[in-house]
Amino acid sequence: MTPKTTSAPALPRLAWRNIWRHRRRTWLLVLVVTYATITTILFWGVQDGFAQSVQVGNARFLSAPALITTPQYFEDPDPEQGLPSLDFLPRVEAQPGVKAAAPRLEFPALIRSAYTADAVRARGVDPLLEAKVSNLPGAIAQGRMLEQPGEVVLGQQLAERLDARLGERVVLDTSALAGPQALGLQVVGLVKSGIAPVDRGTVLVHIQDARVLTGLQTATGVALDVTRGQEARIAEALQPVLPENLRAYDLTQLLGGLSSAIGTKQSSTFLIGMIFSLFAALAVTSTVLVSVLERTREFGMMGAVGMTPPRLAAMVTLETVFATSLGWALGLVLGYALNYWMATQNVLGPVFASYGAAWEILGTGSEIYTAQSPLYALYAALTIALAALFSILIPARRVLALNPAEAMRTE
């Protein structure tokens, strides 16, 4: 009488029971995959989050996370093409995701000290609101932030070029709507950010002084602080509540080439992530191979009672898929939980800040968060797919080559 072979529907059930017959070996495999899944999620979360933090940090130094202005001013930053009115502000501030809004009036000027002069682009700000949308007030290394009209905050390198010190006066000259204007201002603070364009070019004045100098009684734009990582979505969502002649720009549009450079650098790490998944899959495969070697006698007995080598190989592959799927699921729960915690708590900021000036020049400030994306689950699933493939190519092929009689004699 010919022994019955295991039917196709029964094979998954047999594979499932087998992984629990060898609990220690199974849990070892599950832990390996869990670890690989967690590290994959954190790898991409930190990678994407760091890139976002660099973009947001630079935006908060150079411009803002989002900015409302006219398309004409965005293309040609002349105060004559500034905002016709600020009546839309209450509607913008009420929108979901908008944390703060601060009017700004930027204009080209010539700054003069008692010794020399330099061409600059000055920014008129509301001192009470600017810190909510910009990192500049927090980067003042000497002195203080503006408090009233008649004061100016300079980048430290600009102050050195002008040979202007705290308490001394400088003069701003500009061509206004009503003709040439000049205004004397007292230096009350010096910005040191570690970012060359900021330290060389920062000129912050009170928005009332900017209005006097330019003759524009509104602003050239409204800087927004919005939910991190949602800048583009929120900027698009603001369009319906804005007047027809205004537009909201997100940080990628405001940073231009800098944002593109960061995105290019970020995409180059994709290969690193794939290599990491490859090595994780090889670690899983080596664990499965050790399991096959330890179970040689067991496989020989199963073959002796009628289970064909192809079905034995399929069973090993199914066991691998089941165990790695359990590890993947557990890793997703733990990985996303840890990633969420690091995305909401500034855990990485102090770590990177400890490296000093090497990280300061990137403009991230003191806050670095991880990013969140469902794609990370797919990246982690690649480990399972590769492990299943490798189990077919290596452990399963070894099972196919087993001789039941010889396998049963294996100690």
Side-chain angles (χ1 to χ4, degrees):
M1 182 175 177
T2 304
K4 293 182 179 180
T5 59
T6 306
S7 64
L11 199 58
R13 293 197 298 271
L14 179 59
W16 178 257
R17 286 199 299 267
N18 277 343
I19 66 173
W20 299 115
R21 286 178 55 242
H22 307 277
R23 291 181 181 273
R24 180 178 300 179
R25 191 181 298 120
T26 296
W27 280 116
L28 174 61
L29 185 56
V30 168
L31 288 175
V32 169
V33 177
T34 299
Y35 174 77
T37 301
I38 291 173
T39 52
T40 299
I41 292 173
L42 291 183
F43 172 84
W44 288 108
V46 172
Q47 161 65 25
D48 291 347
F50 183 77
Q52 287 181 8
S53 296
V54 171
Q55 286 186 317
V56 172
N58 277 272
R60 291 179 69 92
F61 274 117
L62 299 171
S63 183
L67 182 73
I68 297 173
T69 187
T70 64
Q72 294 79 11
Y73 181 84
F74 185 77
E75 296 295 332
D76 178 19
D78 187 323
E80 291 186 0
Q81 305 188 97
L83 302 176
S85 169
L86 294 174
D87 293 342
F88 63 89
L89 263 180
R91 297 196 302 274
V92 169
E93 292 172 328
Q95 294 303 303
V98 177
K99 300 179 180 179
R104 287 176 176 171
L105 204 170
E106 297 189 359
F107 57 97
L110 180 71
I111 187 168
R112 294 185 285 120
S113 68
Y115 310 99
T116 187
D118 204 346
V120 295
R121 186 163 190 82
R123 176 184 295 175
V125 300
D126 184 329
L128 298 178
L129 298 176
E130 187 65 13
K132 298 179 180 180
V133 299
S134 170
N135 285 344
L136 287 177
I140 295 178
Q142 298 180 47
R144 58 171 174 80
M145 179 58 178
L146 304 171
E147 292 180 354
Q148 58 190 358
E151 299 176 341
V152 63
V153 170
L154 302 177
Q156 188 175 62
Q157 293 181 25
L158 174 61
E160 291 173 355
R161 288 204 310 275
L162 296 171
D163 198 12
R165 298 169 177 81
L166 290 177
E168 295 183 349
R169 295 184 69 80
V170 295
V171 176
L172 277 184
D173 297 297
T174 188
S175 296
L177 299 179
Q181 299 289 330
L183 186 64
L185 303 168
Q186 183 181 25
V187 180
V188 297
L190 299 178
V191 169
K192 183 181 179 183
S193 66
I195 303 173
V198 174
D199 296 344
R200 288 200 303 256
T202 294
V203 178
L204 296 182
V205 301
H206 199 286
I207 195 168
Q208 292 183 24
D209 287 336
R211 287 167 175 164
V212 170
L213 283 166
T214 63
L216 179 65
Q217 296 307 305
T218 55
T220 54
V222 174
L224 304 178
D225 182 26
V226 299
T227 304
R228 179 183 292 267
Q230 301 294 316
E231 293 85 4
R233 182 189 64 79
I234 293 173
E236 186 66 26
L238 285 173
Q239 292 304 140
V241 303
L242 294 176
E244 291 184 2
N245 59 335
L246 300 186
R247 183 179 173 188
Y249 296 88
D250 64 80
L251 58 83
T252 58
Q253 296 166 306
L254 296 171
L255 293 178
L258 177 60
S259 180
S260 299
I262 294 171
T264 301
K265 186 68 175 178
Q266 185 180 9
S267 63
S268 67
T269 62
F270 184 81
L271 180 60
I272 298 175
M274 295 303 99
I275 292 174
F276 177 83
S277 294
L278 174 63
F279 279 101
L282 288 173
V284 173
T285 305
S286 65
T287 305
V288 176
L289 180 58
V290 171
S291 171
V292 169
L293 294 175
E294 291 178 348
R295 297 167 64 191
T296 300
R297 183 180 177 85
E298 175 189 336
F299 291 143
M301 294 178 64
M302 296 176 75
V305 298
M307 193 168 186
T308 63
R311 292 201 178 280
L312 278 172
M315 182 186 70
V316 170
T317 302
L318 284 173
E319 290 177 10
T320 303
V321 171
F322 288 155
T324 53
S325 296
L326 287 173
W328 178 68
L330 181 59
L332 288 184
V333 173
L334 297 177
Y336 272 106
L338 183 59
N339 199 42
Y340 176 79
W341 176 62
M342 296 173 69
T344 55
Q345 304 296 322
N346 187 28
V347 179
L348 297 176
V351 176
F352 283 102
S354 66
Y355 288 91
W359 295 102
E360 189 179 74
I361 60 175
L362 293 175
T364 58
S366 59
E367 296 185 354
I368 298 176
Y369 300 91
T370 57
Q372 293 274 53
S373 172
L375 286 176
Y376 304 157
L378 295 179
Y379 296 153
L382 180 62
T383 299
I384 296 178
L386 289 174
L389 175 62
F390 293 157
S391 70
I392 294 172
L393 296 177
I394 304 174
R397 287 187 64 183
R398 183 177 179 84
V399 173
L400 280 171
L402 279 179
N403 184 309
E406 294 179 0
M408 290 177 65
R409 290 195 296 267
T410 302
E411 295 295 335

